[in-house]
Amino acid sequence: MFHKALWMRNQKLAAPAVWAVYLSLFFFLPFSFFGRAQSLQTQAEKFNDTQLNFTFHGVEIALFLTLILVGFASLLLGQERTTHSADLTFSLPFKRKDIFLSKWMFGVVHITTGLLVNLLLCMLIIRFTILHEIADASFLLHFMALVIPYSIAIFTFSLFIGTIAGSIVSQFILSLIFLFFPIGFFSLIGTFLMYHGIELDMMYDVNGRFNSFGDFISIATLPVPIFEFAYYTDVVTEIDGSVMDYTRMPDYLVLLSPLLYFAVTFPLGILFFSRTKNENNGRLLVFEKGKGFFSIGVVVCFALAFGMAGGGIFGSYDQPSLLGYYFSAAIGAVLSYFVLRKIMNIRLGLSK
Amino acid sequence: MLKMINVSKKIDGRQVLENVNITLEPGMISGIVGRNGVGKSTLLRTLAGILDPDEGEVTFNEINIHQKPEVKQKLTYVPDSTEILKTYNVKEIVKLYDAIYEDFDVMYFYSLMDRFKLPKNRKLRTYSKGMKALFLMILSFSTKADFIILDEPTNGLDPIVKRNILQFIIEEVSERQLSVLISTHHLEEVEKIADVLIMMKDGQIESTTSIEDAKSSFRKVQAVYKHSLPEKIANLNNVTILSQTGRVYTLMIKGNIEETMKEMQQEQPLLLEELPMTLEDIFISSLGGESHVS
């Protein structure tokens, strides 16, 4: 299954993304930790300040990390479709399954290594700087347990999208849209139901018990639980004898989400890549059969989104206009239908 | 032996390949010709395992190449795009191909680089279009594959390099029973080097013959009659009018040559003479159809 040649090819294809993974994680994690340790040190020495606090939020790296992971998958897969080099790869004496697995493995190895090494460096920084006095490095282990499976799931998901998208651009955009799809789509459904007199509990709190519709959709949206991770420590309270050291870690049950995503998108990715239609490379989608389903989905979503926006404009806060909702939805549906018809057959590719 | 058995393929709802059957024997150079959009590239990409057939199969030494792509260790494809591998330098490509193909001959590759005077310490993107095309061909031959598919291989090559590369292909084929399939619009190349001529029309194989057979089954003649071309001759199915200037007709006869010539003689022509024929004449009369490029 492992072919050195495919590894070399992936290295060449995704070299910018590999650099981006290591460098960005380095800047967002150890570099930032060290900078903050230095400023806390100065604060403590110069001003004899006892109000030292240290915080870490998953959102600090999650958004950028998500973009890099999606970009990584797009360089590995979509790029070949755009530059015609997929012809070379598919003419080589390798099974398509092995080509896909080599791309997946290449990404997972670099993502996991990047996260492990940089989080380990962060732990060392906490251990050997002033942070040692105020922070407990174990929060990074919790973060690691969350961010690694989520990153692998996001990367796998984006690679899967690459097996149905026809170009690097469509893979990148569709990956981002579908990564945040549950939260967006269910908000649209929630609004639709609200206009028809059914209220859903859209509030969510992934750190507590899952008991609302909002909880469910936020867990179903891959990157959200990483955003929610937070660590906070404040040395002032230690003077009073009560240590304020708080880790907001989503319930470990949320780890089922990346597991489920992986269990679905990984085998489907292998299947679709093995049956890929290279004649459609450069187009929005690779498979002709999925076009109808995709088009209906896009038109429905745009109709719901236009309805959500338009219903608010036509009605008042406490009395939304159902007529305005449907009128705007119809405009959204018609507009999206025609735009989609135009872009569906555009071939995005570099000249031969 | 590379076989395409009953292969059909639709793209965008259009039947691009229809029931295509080809058998390519070792030690042969086959030229595939046809008008633009007739399905040549689709056929080559299907043979190379890049595209999947909707129906039928492609086998290499009786093994289905789509199910067992490992057999492509001995089958390489050189696309018409010269943009692939452009971010690599020569050394990186050699390393890559050495890792891909078990029999890749590094020494042979460098000897060919010297023979064709290609620079070795540069990135491929700095090569000219012709150099890139030549490089990809050299790379392909260095894999020691038994079967090589070349899509428009001489595009962008200057006449001297073109002549050298055609000579090189002939040498390779005669030395080690290699089989080469070339798709090209340059009919004089096919005429020069190919043993077998495959003509494609509307996604189907119009004919597969040796170049000699192809030529012997056609005759190009110039005829002048007292008035215009007799209706009897013009209505013959195997006669195509290539050109007409006044009462001077240039005609192509396909099959049944002697009998047709006799009939033409019976109509008492003022002039009836045989003209030298090129593959281009056969191409135009067989595949010409309407003058538009599809």
Side-chain angles (χ1 to χ4, degrees):
Chain A
M1 192 193 86
F2 177 79
H3 300 282
K4 186 183 160 199
L6 289 176
W7 188 271
M8 287 161 74
R9 178 120 180 89
N10 292 332
Q11 179 68 47
K12 195 75 186 174
L13 282 170
V18 172
W19 279 104
V21 165
Y22 288 107
L23 287 178
S24 65
L25 285 175
F26 180 76
F27 279 107
F28 281 106
L29 289 167
F31 189 77
S32 147
F33 272 49
F34 189 71
R36 280 191 277 172
Q38 290 295 97
S39 73
L40 281 175
Q41 183 78 40
T42 317
Q43 204 180 327
E45 281 171 7
K46 280 196 178 165
F47 309 109
N48 206 15
D49 202 339
T50 50
Q51 280 192 319
L52 300 175
N53 62 52
F54 176 79
T55 59
F56 173 74
H57 289 280
V59 74
E60 287 166 21
I61 70 158
L63 199 62
F64 200 76
L65 182 64
T66 304
L67 287 175
I68 286 177
L69 295 174
V70 171
F72 198 164
S74 304
L75 279 179
L76 276 172
L77 221 158
Q79 183 187 203
E80 283 197 303
R81 296 197 195 274
T82 308
T83 59
H84 309 289
S85 55
D87 272 21
L88 174 76
T89 305
F90 280 82
S91 71
L92 298 179
F94 301 116
K95 284 195 174 83
R96 291 181 181 184
K97 182 183 167 191
D98 290 357
I99 297 172
F100 181 83
L101 287 177
S102 79
K103 289 180 189 295
W104 180 80
M105 202 198 289
F106 181 82
V108 167
V109 165
H110 282 297
I111 292 160
T112 313
T113 312
L115 283 166
L116 278 175
V117 167
N118 286 298
L119 286 171
L120 207 69
L121 281 173
C122 287
M123 284 179 194
L124 290 174
I125 289 167
I126 292 178
R127 176 73 184 83
F128 293 108
T129 62
I130 190 171
L131 290 176
H132 179 59
E133 291 168 28
I134 54 171
D136 177 4
S138 66
F139 79 90
L140 285 171
L141 287 175
H142 291 292
F143 184 63
M144 202 185 275
L146 184 74
V147 77
I148 291 178
Y150 267 91
S151 298
I152 292 173
I154 292 169
F155 174 75
T156 309
F157 179 81
S158 185
L159 216 50
F160 157 72
I161 294 291
T163 63
I164 52 175
S167 73
I168 186 167
V169 178
S170 60
Q171 183 184 357
F172 190 80
I173 294 172
L174 291 178
S175 295
L176 287 177
I177 289 174
F178 284 111
L179 270 175
F180 292 95
F181 183 74
I183 217 162
F185 184 67
F186 287 113
S187 302
L188 295 175
I189 292 285
T191 315
F192 174 79
L193 293 175
M194 188 193 80
Y195 273 89
H196 295 81
I198 304 163
E199 287 285 340
L200 284 177
D201 182 4
M202 297 299 284
M203 294 300 288
Y204 73 93
D205 177 14
V206 292
N207 306 299
R209 295 176 66 187
F210 311 128
N211 46 22
S212 76
F213 184 67
D215 284 348
F216 167 72
I217 60 170
S218 61
I219 292 161
T221 309
L222 264 186
V224 168
I226 316 178
F227 293 177
E228 293 300 314
F229 181 91
Y231 173 76
Y232 177 82
T233 181
D234 193 340
V235 86
V236 170
T237 51
E238 278 185 304
I239 298 166
D240 313 330
S242 59
V243 178
M244 171 82 177
D245 181 348
Y246 171 66
T247 306
R248 191 176 69 188
M249 168 76 182
D251 193 294
Y252 277 102
L253 265 179
V254 301
L255 289 176
L256 280 175
S257 170
L259 197 70
L260 276 173
Y261 263 96
F262 178 78
V264 173
T265 56
F266 184 65
L268 271 184
I270 295 174
L271 181 76
F272 288 165
F273 193 76
S274 303
R275 296 181 178 186
T276 198
K277 300 276 179 200
N278 280 321
E279 58 269 32
N280 291 327
N281 284 349
R283 294 222 165 118
L284 186 65
L285 296 177
V286 168
F287 294 101
E288 309 256 329
K289 281 180 185 164
K291 273 185 183 174
F293 179 72
F294 179 79
S295 305
I296 293 169
V298 170
V299 170
V300 167
C301 284
F302 268 89
L304 291 171
F306 268 67
M308 186 162 97
I313 295 168
F314 285 103
S316 60
Y317 173 73
D318 53 346
Q319 226 174 10
S321 157
L322 188 64
L323 192 70
Y325 183 89
Y326 274 105
F327 180 66
S328 314
I331 293 175
V334 171
L335 273 180
S336 59
Y337 173 75
F338 284 109
V339 172
L340 195 65
R341 254 183 52 168
K342 279 269 175 220
I343 62 170
M344 199 62 116
N345 288 322
I346 289 176
R347 218 180 256 276
L348 280 174
L350 300 178
S351 61
K352 281 187 171 185
Chain B
M1 191 188 291
L2 186 65
K3 275 187 190 171
M4 201 171 217
I5 307 159
N6 289 328
V7 167
S8 296
K9 174 120 191 117
K10 264 188 184 174
I11 297 178
D12 286 341
R14 194 172 71 91
Q15 196 75 45
V16 182
L17 298 179
E18 196 175 350
N19 263 328
V20 174
N21 286 287
I22 304 178
T23 303
L24 299 162
E25 308 276 351
M28 294 267 222
I29 301 175
S30 312
I32 187 159
V33 296
R35 298 191 64 193
N36 286 336
V38 82
K40 296 189 301 294
S41 285
T42 304
L43 186 137
L44 298 193
R45 290 170 84 206
T46 310
L47 275 175
I50 299 160
L51 302 181
D52 296 334
D54 297 337
E55 284 166 41
E57 61 172 349
V58 178
T59 63
F60 184 53
N61 295 335
E62 308 303 325
I63 299 168
N64 186 311
I65 64 150
H66 290 91
Q67 286 165 8
K68 294 251 178 232
E70 297 88 336
V71 294
K72 289 191 281 182
Q73 274 288 343
K74 288 288 172 191
L75 186 153
T76 59
Y77 166 72
V78 182
D80 58 345
S81 164
T82 49
E83 291 303 292
I84 58 163
L85 297 172
K86 68 172 183 181
T87 54
Y88 289 75
N89 63 37
V90 174
K91 270 186 190 164
E92 286 170 335
I93 296 173
V94 170
K95 261 191 189 171
L96 179 70
Y97 268 64
D98 199 22
I100 296 170
Y101 295 99
E102 287 161 10
D103 296 332
F104 185 76
D105 191 336
V106 180
M107 298 296 285
Y108 186 61
F109 168 80
Y110 280 115
S111 72
L112 291 176
M113 290 287 282
D114 288 337
R115 174 172 166 185
F116 290 104
K117 297 186 177 61
L118 287 177
K120 288 178 227 160
N121 298 318
R122 276 166 53 179
K123 279 210 170 190
L124 217 58
R125 69 153 62 98
T126 65
Y127 277 21
S128 70
K129 196 181 171 202
M131 283 160 94
K132 279 184 213 160
L134 184 56
F135 178 86
L136 291 176
M137 218 179 311
I138 287 175
L139 199 60
S140 192
F141 280 97
S142 304
T143 62
K144 297 289 171 189
D146 293 335
F147 202 104
I148 295 177
I149 299 168
L150 305 170
D151 195 359
E152 308 276 352
T154 52
N155 268 1
L157 298 181
D158 69 51
I160 296 164
V161 177
K162 198 188 283 185
R163 196 182 60 190
N164 288 346
I165 199 81
L166 292 177
Q167 183 58 37
F168 165 68
I169 293 173
I170 294 170
E171 280 170 27
E172 286 280 316
V173 172
S174 58
E175 270 170 31
R176 57 181 188 93
Q177 284 296 293
L178 170 72
S179 190
V180 177
L181 176 63
I182 300 177
S183 153
T184 181
H185 286 295
H186 303 285
L187 297 166
E188 73 284 357
E189 288 169 13
V190 179
E191 203 166 0
K192 243 183 239 170
I193 69 166
D195 306 296
V196 176
L197 175 72
I198 301 168
M199 287 207 246
M200 273 193 88
K201 192 175 184 180
D202 302 330
Q204 291 177 312
I205 302 295
E206 170 87 356
S207 66
T208 306
T209 47
S210 69
I211 299 284
E212 283 74 29
D213 285 350
K215 281 189 169 177
S216 63
S217 60
F218 286 87
R219 187 166 296 173
K220 186 178 173 184
V221 293
Q222 197 168 49
V224 182
Y225 287 89
K226 200 170 178 186
H227 304 291
S228 60
L229 186 70
E231 225 168 90
K232 191 181 165 194
I233 304 299
N235 288 341
L236 287 173
N237 281 335
N238 62 334
V239 174
T240 315
I241 302 170
L242 291 179
S243 65
Q244 182 198 348
T245 313
R247 284 183 296 153
V248 182
Y249 290 86
T250 308
L251 306 169
M252 180 68 97
I253 306 166
K254 182 185 179 185
N256 217 3
I257 292 168
E258 295 310 324
E259 211 162 296
T260 312
M261 288 293 281
K262 243 183 226 171
E263 281 186 56
M264 292 177 82
Q265 286 288 4
Q266 282 165 8
E267 296 298 317
Q268 296 172 336
L270 301 176
L271 171 80
L272 180 63
E273 65 173 3
E274 193 178 333
L275 295 176
M277 189 176 55
T278 61
L279 212 50
E280 195 173 323
D281 298 317
I282 298 176
F283 181 89
I284 292 167
S285 76
S286 300
L287 310 174
E290 312 82 53
S291 58
H292 74 268
V293 177
S294 48

